Amino acid sequence: MITIKRGTLEAILLAARNTFPNEFIALLSSKHGKKVIDEYVLLPSIYGKSFSSIRLDLMPHDENIRGSVHSHPSRFAMPSNADLRAFKAMGETHLIVASPFSLETVRAFDKAGKSIEMEVIE
């Protein structure tokens, strides 16, 4: 299960809307070693209409990084083969947010691409 703060998730959804029609990508982090995702980390990235790419060589050595988030401009929030390969390199938990980028269109996955439960807290 992934637990994320509502404010953090709403900021991610806004970033995805602002990047549309391109994909958005960032890392998920939890401050001070907590298990709750409470921020997202932007690294230099490429945002394309059917892909996004993040500069993993610039990923900080930070034990608070928990995974990644990226958007799909379509209404499908299922990981592609490229997503599954990326999940393995970017932590344990991953979010995909699909158009129209609302709380109802967010899906959570483990690094193998298996769907997991997501809890949104205040």
Side-chain angles (χ1 to χ4, degrees):
M1 177 191 316
I2 182 174
T3 304
I4 187 168
K5 287 196 172 183
R6 181 177 300 278
T8 302
L9 185 54
E10 288 174 351
I12 288 167
L13 294 170
L14 179 61
R17 282 186 218 109
N18 288 338
T19 308
F20 182 81
N22 294 330
E23 287 191 9
F24 166 77
I25 190 166
L27 300 175
L28 299 172
S29 179
S30 58
K31 295 178 191 170
H32 312 296
K34 296 179 184 174
K35 301 246 183 222
V36 176
I37 303 298
D38 54 10
E39 65 183 4
Y40 66 98
V41 178
L42 291 173
L43 293 178
S45 303
I46 297 172
Y47 306 125
K49 290 188 190 263
S50 62
F51 72 96
S52 57
S53 165
I54 194 166
R55 290 279 312 269
L56 289 180
D57 60 312
L58 298 177
M59 187 163 81
H61 179 70
D62 184 346
E63 294 180 10
N64 295 323
I65 300 295
R66 302 287 176 238
S68 69
V69 57
H70 76 279
S71 66
H72 282 180
S74 70
R75 294 188 177 268
F76 302 103
M78 294 305 295
S80 67
N81 288 335
D83 293 339
L84 294 173
R85 286 189 300 275
F87 286 178
K88 292 176 183 173
M90 290 192 278
E92 296 297 318
T93 55
H94 305 277
L95 298 179
I96 297 177
V97 297
S99 179
F101 314 113
S102 66
L103 294 175
E104 295 77 26
T105 64
V106 179
R107 300 292 177 263
F109 303 91
D110 66 14
K111 70 179 182 178
K114 181 181 171 197
S115 184
I116 59 174
E117 189 176 333
M118 180 178 68
E119 178 184 23
V120 179
I121 63 170
E122 293 305 318

